[in-house]
């Protein structure tokens, strides 16, 4: 399970500041976030940085179980 903390525009688009997802990559996380939070989320994600333990993530990056991602 991946924990996601949402800030600023991502929080507004999602309507929450925290969510959990069952995924193994950033690309899969993007897809699941769009499915859950709606069509505005891809635009927000495209303009956002995703960080895990202070490291910026790209679409091809893996997400080990238990990761915490900041958007």
């Amino acid at each position: 399970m991946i924990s996601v903390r949402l800030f600023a525009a991502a929080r507004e688009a999602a309507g929450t500041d925290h969510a959990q997802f069952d995924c193994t990559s950033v690309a899969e996380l993007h897809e699941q976030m769009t499915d859950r939070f709606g069509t505005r989320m891809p635009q927000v994600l495209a303009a956002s940085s995703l960080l895990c333990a202070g490291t910026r993530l790209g679409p091809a990056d893996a997400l080990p179980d238990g990761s915490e991602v900041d958007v």
Side-chain angles (χ1 to χ4, degrees):
M1 193 65 68
I2 306 301
S3 294
V4 177
R5 296 188 311 170
L6 300 144
F7 300 92
R11 181 181 61 228
E12 288 180 32
T16 186
D17 63 356
H18 187 266
Q20 292 191 319
F21 296 90
D22 188 18
C23 57
T24 58
S25 71
V26 173
E28 190 176 5
L29 176 61
H30 278 221
E31 182 179 314
Q32 289 185 20
M33 288 180 72
T34 298
D35 289 347
R36 185 179 300 179
F37 298 129
T39 57
R40 186 170 167 233
M41 190 54 70
Q43 293 173 319
V44 171
L45 291 172
S48 299
S49 295
L50 275 67
L51 303 170
C52 184
T55 301
R56 190 173 183 161
L57 300 171
D61 287 330
L63 293 172
D65 190 38
S67 294
E68 184 171 85
V69 175
D70 293 333
V71 180

